[in-house]
Amino acid sequence: MLKLIHLNNALSRYTALLASLAVIAMMLLVALDAFLRQSFGFRVPFVSVTVANYFMVMIAFLPLALAETEDRHISIDLLFSHLRAGIKRWIALVLHVLCALTCAGLTWTTWDEAMRRFSSGSVAVEDGASMAIWPGYFILPLGFFLLTLTYLLRVALGLVGAAEAQQPLIGEADVAAAEVNQ
Amino acid sequence: MSPEIIGLIGLGVLALLLLLRMPVGMSLILVSFSGIYILLGPRPAWGILTNVPYQFAAKWTLSSVPMFLLMGYVCYHGGMTRALFAAARSWLGALPGGLAIASVFGAGGFAAVTGSSVACAAAMGRIAVPEMTRAGYDPGLATGSIAAAGTLGALIPPSILLILFGIFAQVPIGQLFLGGIGAGVLTAVAYAVMIYIRVRLDPALAPTREDSASWTERLAHLKGIWPVITLFIVVIGGMFAGLFTATEAGAIGALSACIIAWMTGGLTKATLRQSVNETIVTTAALFLIAIGANLLTRFLALSGSGELITETILAFGASNLTLILGIALVYIILGMFLDPIGAMLLTLPVLLPVVGEAGIPLLWFGVFVAKFLEIGMITPPVGLNVFVIKGVVERSISLGVIFRGVIWFLIADAVVVAIMVAFPQVILWLPSLN
């Protein structure tokens, strides 16, 4: 089970790394475009298309699994924390199954859409020129697939009664160690 | 079963899942999809589930959210708060309760470069609470002032809360930012006045400092706050001078923050990595909820239950004041248990049509919602800002003492809200000039 946790953590970290690069790239590209427009009246082509259809999609969906791994998805801790440990375990198990099913549905349907976009070769048109946007559609099933895996891992952990099922899968020590190692 | 009943049952199931600690975004998506599936069948349900996530996230305007988040995190990890507090202390430290007042205005200054109240409270708390404790300040006053002052982070622009409200309610973000300045300044002044009056009445709360700063020292300290002033002028000034859009302002702000933090020695590989990591995780978590809220809006509209709720509320014949007070109560309660942005996104699908029908200006409502959600940040039992300060002071001050210290600020907040309701121009005046 520990190996599965490590595998999940590695997968979520590496995909989130792509989102990190997208954040930096988006910052530089948008700032450069604004600077060039103000100074020289020149616009970098396809800035808004690249930002919206690639960078934003990467930033929104690739870190979903990391957010779950770090237990950072927003939830309400009003009633749950007052329940008995045994009841908590079963409720968490059922909810993780529901989350996994929801994400699996999202993975399937967004993959289907990505394949459709790929087949039709979706493009965005700006000033008469076109730019392919279909690759961006594949980011969604990737993000949701990894999130599905993380929830399935939590289900497995819940079934064997491991405490990690309801806790961050990356401890603070792991995060610090990873930062030192990277 | 009528569609309206299906909609209302959906809302009930949503509440149950949320209470059982299912992530807000997941609960919204699951309930909305299931509801649309029952109402319209599989094809429309899968169609909406396929299209909404991409359509929502792939937006140029939305890119300001990760950019302003990054700017705030870089400023936070880059340690820009120390100079702010030092400057505020040299100018205001000699007043009764001067260190607490300086903390409030220091937090107000930091709020101008960060959009998060938790970051604001944590950054100022690490510096100001130990100093106030050393100066013999009452622990409740010392910690309460920082927890409350942190809420300025979400009112004074840039504010992530206001950006997302603007996108959902289709109110210009620049106008909301200007409205937020009115509420933020009013709040800071109210907190400062309250601290002053309390300490005048009970000087034991905050021993007077003998070592008031000279004018030379005061002017020297102002030099230290150039990073924050520069950032504010570049971002907010650039936006309102028409040099760039709100979206571009975020990217330019983030880049400027990186450059300034690097120049002042606050940007290392580790702080940049941490800032970027927090930016992407927060963005993904927020967008998942926003996608869910978008789906819920569609579910409520398709079922007609949204309209039913609006009609029912308005049929009571309640005045706008009663309506606003009712909404305020909902937000205070939600704010006690839920992250403010989550609470806002969760409720907007139901509340926006009601507020629109009642003729309440959405610009004013956005700032009002931000204010109330921030009050929830310092209200027991959860009050995130209070827990942040508790984390700073560790075992030296109990949670009960901090919450007792915060009560006085809640009274000041009640006065601020009363002024916002009685004189909406406090919020609407600045945007009307633009």
Side-chain angles (χ1 to χ4, degrees), chain A residues 84-158:
Chain A
R84 278 186 299 153
I87 298 173
K88 274 206 272 199
R89 182 187 156 197
W90 287 107
I91 289 176
L93 187 64
V94 171
L95 292 184
H96 287 145
V97 170
L98 286 177
C99 288
L101 285 173
T102 308
C103 292
L106 280 159
T107 307
W108 173 72
T109 194
T110 52
W111 171 260
D112 209 35
E113 176 70 1
M115 289 306 288
R116 260 201 302 275
R117 297 280 173 171
F118 170 65
S119 305
S120 63
S122 277
V123 293
V125 179
E126 188 180 281
D127 297 330
S130 64
M131 179 183 179
I133 57 165
W134 61 262
Y137 282 86
F138 283 93
I139 294 166
L140 279 83
L142 175 61
F144 286 125
F145 175 67
L146 290 171
L147 186 56
T148 310
L149 290 185
T150 309
Y151 279 123
L152 286 177
L153 176 61
R154 287 200 184 278
V155 171
L157 289 165

Side-chain angles (χ1 to χ4, degrees), chain B residues 74-110:
Chain B
V74 169
C75 292
Y76 172 65
H77 292 297
M80 289 190 195
T81 34
R82 193 166 293 278
L84 271 174
F85 180 66
R89 184 187 52 191
S90 71
W91 284 83
L92 304 164
L95 291 171
L99 288 180
I101 294 174
S103 307
V104 169
F105 284 100
F110 192 61

